[in-house]
Amino acid sequence: QGPRLLVNEQVDVGLLVIAGVNSTMHGADLRAALKGLPPRKPLLLLRHEGDSLANDRPPPERSVLALAGHTHGGQILLPFLGSPGEWKLGEPLCRRGFCQLNGWPVLVTSGVGTSWLPLRINVPPEMVLITLVAG
């Protein structure tokens, strides 16, 4: 059996719950993804646009980590000027690395792809290996 796509839903994998939220452009629904969470189980949230968590509801009371990659690490990062995405929005994004957004701990990876512009400047592609341990 191949991988399961989680679209605004969750799956209990034993020691933790993994929830997936669709892209904002395609009907992201965090509330649906978190509905009926089993009590006390840690949550791993897969969210296409990590910066959207800044406007979402705060995380549930439990161990939680969100993973995202929508920003491609900024894709283009110019010295002293920042990233074009920041110019458009008027505020810094959580481009890459570990961030806190509205109480959500989020790890944003720049990934290996690009957006509609197939170009990277000062933002190398990356693949991140995460090891989860019981706490």
Side-chain angles (χ1 to χ4, degrees):
Q1 185 178 11
R4 178 176 170 191
L5 182 62
L6 296 173
V7 180
N8 302 325
E9 61 183 325
Q10 62 183 265
V11 62
D12 187 332
V13 295
L15 294 176
L16 65 106
V17 175
I18 302 173
V21 177
N22 209 354
S23 168
T24 301
M25 287 179 47
H26 299 287
D29 189 345
L30 179 64
R31 189 172 305 278
L34 300 182
K35 185 176 181 179
L37 279 174
R40 296 179 297 282
K41 283 202 176 182
L43 171 66
L44 178 62
L45 178 70
L46 309 176
R47 177 74 199 247
H48 182 76
E49 299 99 349
D51 48 327
S52 294
L53 289 169
N55 300 315
D56 281 334
R57 67 187 236 190
E61 294 290 325
R62 64 183 66 227
S63 297
V64 63
L65 174 64
L67 304 177
H70 171 75
T71 63
H72 303 279
Q75 194 170 321
I76 298 171
L77 186 58
L78 303 174
F80 307 109
L81 298 175
S83 170
E86 293 171 343
W87 308 338
K88 180 179 155 187
L89 298 174
E91 60 185 52
L93 300 172
C94 183
R95 283 185 299 222
R96 182 175 172 194
F98 186 76
C99 312
Q100 287 276 341
L101 296 170
N102 194 25
W104 288 93
V106 184
L107 178 64
V108 179
T109 171
S110 64
V112 296
T114 58
S115 65
W116 58 271
L117 181 64
L119 178 67
R120 285 183 180 266
I121 298 174
N122 295 322
V123 182
E126 70 177 348
M127 293 179 75
V128 177
L129 175 65
I130 299 167
T131 302
L132 301 174
V133 295

